[in-house]
Amino acid sequence: MGALLLPSCKKVFDVTTESTLAGEQTYRNVYDADAAVLGVYGKLLKLARPYVLLNELRADLMSPTANADLYLQQLSNQNVTVDNPYIDPAPFYEVILNCNDVMKNFDIMLAEKKMKQDEYNERYADVASVRTWVYLQLGIHFSKDTKGIIGIPYVTDPLATIQDVKDETKYRWLPFQQLLAELIKTMESLPTLEMYNSAASLMTTVDQYRTEKFFIMKKVLLGDLYLWNAAYDPSSYNKAATAYRQIISYYDDKGNDNTKKNYYKLIGAPDPASGNQLAVQYVRYRESDINALYDSNTEGWRSMFSRGKISYDQQFDWEWIWHMSFSSSFEPKNPFIDLFSNINGSYLVKPSQQAMDNWNSQTQYNGFPFDARGNFTYRTIAGQPVIMKYLYYYMDGKTFVPTINTNTRTGEWWLYRAASVWQHFGEAANRDGYPKLGYAIVNQGIKTTYTPPNASSNVTNIQQTFLPAPYDFDARSGDNPQFRAIYRDMAGLRGRASLPSRPLVGDSTIAVEDMLTDESALELAYEGQRWSDLLRVSIRRHDPTYIAARVGAKLRKDGAGNAAAAEAKLTAGEFYLPFKWK
């Protein structure tokens, strides 16, 4: 299998828009099908740059630098013109058309018995999910074309070229709510929502990169679709939480106790001496020493962005659910070094002052007046704040000296991890009538939150939620009698960051939702979540000021002259980018 697949990898990743072979030449067997799947992901990698820019620069945590061109400034300032190259929908539709073509040919292969049913199920569902994810991104950012048509083109036929997409007789225009309904219907009808079987031929190593988490996690995507749809149909909150819970609990019945309690569980650091948990922590007996913070490629919270690059790394897998690797051998090249780095890069965007203030307004348990996640998410290099989450494979995290040849430009596109799934699960649980569970997730975890004050040492009837599925969690850890439940070390988002709980004030549902959104800014900054989080809450509350106020605050702190105009535009509900074919 390796001998058949690997020689074709250069070809399937380095695909030009119009270069396609006839089906009889490329869809002969399952290895050709694998090459087609990898080709889809090769095209998907080209969306990494617009994905991060549209979801972060448009929101409140990222700002353009003095090196940024007019068009990047437009994204930040909410005054985007139709000629802005960063909003060109064509690259998104190239992926979609590729998916449509592959799905059509997979149907033919199955009918002609060139693939077994289980081989077809996995590959067809994977490609369909990629198409769904791309459509979700289009729906989040685009809604009206320059002719005033509401919605985006929804194309499911294998059209030959992007030019064909411009023929409006070949598809429907769907507004966001209708688009969500179509996407949910697609996902619910897939032949499988499971990941590739560990024995599948696509579970391999390509250019020294493990492919295990290279492929989209379908249930997380389905959860996101339900979470968006819940603004229109509140019953979808429970559906979203159910989908997310299946990911959170994926390892609950697999492997030994270490596997069950660690995978996707947001664990803290029960033994600080180990220094190898994915938590903000300090060397034992030096907790009051600011220099004792675990800060390396293999220890502490920031190590999740620098470990596990090539060889198997168990703790990397505890956190990461979907990430894609840029190779030194295949196109496209990693765009993030040029985007973020001020060493051999163009340094075009940086953390906003608002983002830095968010981290610096926190106080850790040990009294240090900052959130250490901020120290790991950005660094000051040569007097300039530099976003670092995408640069730890490129440069040393302490000396900032590049550790790889600048022409190599390997790296990662971070997409889904345990923290993002828990954050969205908490959002759904809170709106489904369980704000205490949402509070536990954002703060200190289930065990602490569900332990009453002055509780006895007998934990039989505490430290668990006693809620119906999917909200039933057991986090008991006690002796006499002894309990060691799977969720006992789940520390919560702030607990894992060594931060105390936030006080609950006012309406619990609204307050917890605000906490979750605020915590997302601290935990998930620059991972492509921010605009979506703010927009989703604004739509849910019918309150455009929710997103408008935060973007306006960023622009004012950045000294942007149009802060008032940008805030007014968003307050009027003008969230979407103009849709125009170049």
Side-chain angles (χ1 to χ4, degrees):
M1 180 276 301
L4 288 169
L5 179 62
L6 291 178
S8 67
C9 287
K10 180 68 170 71
K11 296 177 184 178
V12 300
F13 275 104
D14 190 5
V15 180
T16 60
T17 305
E18 307 297 336
S19 62
T20 55
L21 297 174
E24 63 271 14
Q25 294 176 274
T26 56
Y27 291 97
R28 298 162 299 184
N29 52 47
V30 70
Y31 302 113
D32 285 346
D34 289 348
V37 172
L38 292 177
V40 166
Y41 280 90
K43 281 189 176 290
L44 183 63
L45 273 168
K46 296 180 181 180
L47 300 185
R49 182 185 177 97
Y51 172 79
V52 171
L53 288 174
L54 295 183
N55 283 298
E56 298 293 345
L57 189 54
R58 298 184 69 205
D60 59 336
L61 306 179
M62 182 185 286
S63 296
T65 69
N67 299 336
D69 61 23
L70 169 66
Y71 298 114
L72 287 174
Q73 294 173 29
Q74 287 181 358
L75 288 177
S76 182
N77 293 336
Q78 309 298 317
N79 58 357
V80 178
T81 56
V82 294
D83 62 336
N84 189 309
Y86 297 104
I87 68 166
D88 182 6
F92 293 84
Y93 280 93
E94 287 181 13
V95 179
I96 288 167
L97 294 187
N98 191 192
C99 291
N100 291 346
D101 181 73
V102 171
M103 291 161 66
K104 178 199 73 172
N105 280 286
F106 283 178
D107 285 339
I108 295 171
M109 290 182 73
L110 180 66
E112 295 178 351
K113 301 188 184 305
K114 294 179 179 178
M115 268 200 296
K116 298 176 183 178
Q117 184 69 53
D118 59 339
E119 295 170 339
Y120 166 88
N121 290 349
E122 291 181 328
R123 288 155 183 80
Y124 184 94
D126 188 19
V127 174
S129 297
V130 169
R131 187 184 71 179
T132 300
W133 184 87
V134 174
Y135 268 127
L136 177 60
Q137 290 303 310
L138 287 167
I140 288 168
H141 295 290
F142 300 91
S143 178
K144 183 185 294 186
D145 84 336
T146 53
K147 299 176 184 177
I149 301 176
I150 301 298
I152 62 167
Y154 185 63
V155 185
T156 57
D157 292 332
L159 306 178
T161 68
I162 288 295
Q163 294 301 318
D164 289 338
V165 183
K166 298 180 183 181
D167 180 354
E168 296 183 9
T169 67
K170 297 182 182 292
Y171 52 81
R172 294 176 291 161
W173 286 79
L174 295 183
F176 190 42
Q177 185 176 355
Q178 292 181 31
L179 176 68
L180 285 172
E182 288 290 337
L183 299 180
I184 289 171
K185 183 168 66 176
T186 295
M187 293 299 294
E188 290 179 338
S189 65
L190 291 180
T192 180
L193 290 174
E194 301 300 326
M195 295 298 290
Y196 284 103
N197 185 286
S198 60
S201 51
L202 278 165
M203 293 291 98
T204 183
T205 300
V206 176
D207 194 33
Q208 296 185 304
Y209 289 85
R210 292 185 298 129
T211 62
E212 180 181 355
K213 298 195 176 184
F214 190 81
F215 305 105
I216 190 169
M217 183 71 84
K218 305 173 194 66
K219 291 179 182 178
V220 176
L221 172 60
L222 183 58
D224 284 353
L225 292 170
Y226 285 138
L227 191 60
W228 279 100
N229 194 59
Y232 313 105
D233 175 12
S235 69
S236 289
Y237 286 121
N238 190 271
K239 293 179 180 179
T242 299
Y244 293 135
R245 178 61 190 272
Q246 290 179 44
I247 302 305
I248 291 167
S249 303
Y250 184 76
Y251 288 94
D252 282 9
D253 58 355
K254 297 176 176 64
N256 57 26
D257 181 66
N258 187 60
T259 296
K260 294 176 181 178
K261 76 181 185 69
N262 287 315
Y263 267 83
Y264 307 154
K265 297 300 191 294
L266 289 186
I267 61 169
D271 180 10
S274 67
N276 60 359
Q277 308 289 351
L278 302 177
V280 171
Q281 56 185 311
Y282 294 78
V283 177
R284 180 180 281 181
Y285 309 125
R286 295 179 60 196
E287 287 85 353
S288 60
D289 180 359
I290 197 171
N291 296 313
L293 179 67
Y294 280 113
D295 177 9
S296 75
N297 291 340
T298 57
E299 297 173 326
W301 186 87
R302 83 102 158 150
S303 72
M304 71 178 73
F305 302 101
S306 55
R307 64 192 305 153
K309 179 179 177 182
I310 295 177
S311 61
Y312 174 72
D313 186 307
Q314 184 182 52
Q315 292 185 45
F316 183 88
D317 285 355
W318 290 352
E319 182 74 12
W320 285 104
I321 293 171
W322 186 25
H323 67 97
M324 295 179 66
S325 302
F326 292 97
S327 168
S328 61
S329 303
F330 311 139
E331 293 290 341
K333 297 298 185 184
N334 178 3
F336 296 130
I337 296 172
D338 186 64
L339 192 64
F340 297 126
S341 181
N342 63 352
I343 299 176
N344 299 323
S346 295
Y347 185 55
L348 300 176
V349 292
K350 63 182 180 180
S352 67
Q353 186 61 51
Q354 180 64 59
M356 294 185 285
D357 289 349
N358 289 342
W359 286 304
N360 291 331
S361 66
Q362 308 297 315
T363 301
Q364 297 176 54
Y365 281 125
N366 55 14
F368 293 152
F370 59 88
D371 184 338
R373 291 173 297 182
N375 289 34
F376 297 141
T377 302
Y378 79 94
R379 305 277 184 154
T380 300
I381 303 175
Q384 297 174 314
V386 175
I387 294 170
M388 288 294 296
K389 280 186 176 178
Y390 298 89
L391 299 180
Y392 285 115
Y393 289 163
Y394 166 64
M395 63 172 60
D396 185 277
K398 294 181 179 179
T399 67
F400 312 129
V401 174
T403 56
I404 61 174
N405 186 299
T406 56
N407 293 323
T408 303
R409 294 181 177 262
T410 56
E412 297 289 329
W413 178 12
W414 307 120
L415 287 156
Y416 286 132
R417 57 186 176 97
S420 49
V421 174
W422 275 100
Q423 194 263 341
H424 286 173
F425 177 82
E427 188 179 329
N430 177 56
R431 280 286 176 170
D432 200 28
Y434 302 103
K436 183 176 181 179
L437 179 54
Y439 183 86
I441 290 167
V442 78
N443 287 292
Q444 305 303 311
I446 295 160
K447 181 174 69 177
T448 298
T449 304
Y450 286 86
T451 299
N454 305 314
S456 70
S457 59
N458 184 341
V459 302
T460 302
N461 297 310
I462 60 174
Q463 296 182 349
Q464 51 194 313
T465 61
F466 293 110
L467 295 174
Y471 307 118
D472 50 330
F473 291 96
D474 185 350
R476 287 176 291 179
S477 181
D479 299 297
N480 300 317
Q482 186 182 71
F483 291 96
R484 294 293 185 269
I486 292 174
Y487 290 86
R488 64 187 182 274
D489 291 333
M490 186 273 184
L493 290 165
R494 292 180 67 81
R496 191 172 72 161
S498 193
L499 297 176
S501 296
R502 290 179 55 181
L504 187 62
V505 179
D507 179 273
S508 59
T509 299
I510 297 299
V512 168
E513 188 165 83
D514 287 343
M515 284 185 197
L516 285 160
T517 308
D518 292 345
E519 197 63 29
S520 176
L522 302 171
E523 174 76 25
L524 302 171
Y526 317 124
E527 296 176 40
Q529 302 283 338
R530 189 57 176 170
W531 178 264
S532 297
D533 285 346
L534 296 179
L535 180 61
R536 189 169 55 250
V537 174
S538 293
I539 294 174
R540 175 185 301 144
R541 295 186 183 183
H542 305 286
D543 180 12
T545 65
Y546 193 84
I547 190 170
R550 286 160 175 78
V551 173
K554 176 192 84 166
L555 294 174
R556 288 186 180 89
K557 289 188 177 184
D558 287 349
N562 74 323
E567 187 168 351
K569 181 177 182 179
L570 293 174
T571 298
E574 297 181 31
F575 304 131
Y576 300 101
L577 298 169
F579 187 101
K580 182 181 179 180
W581 295 113
K582 296 293 186 288

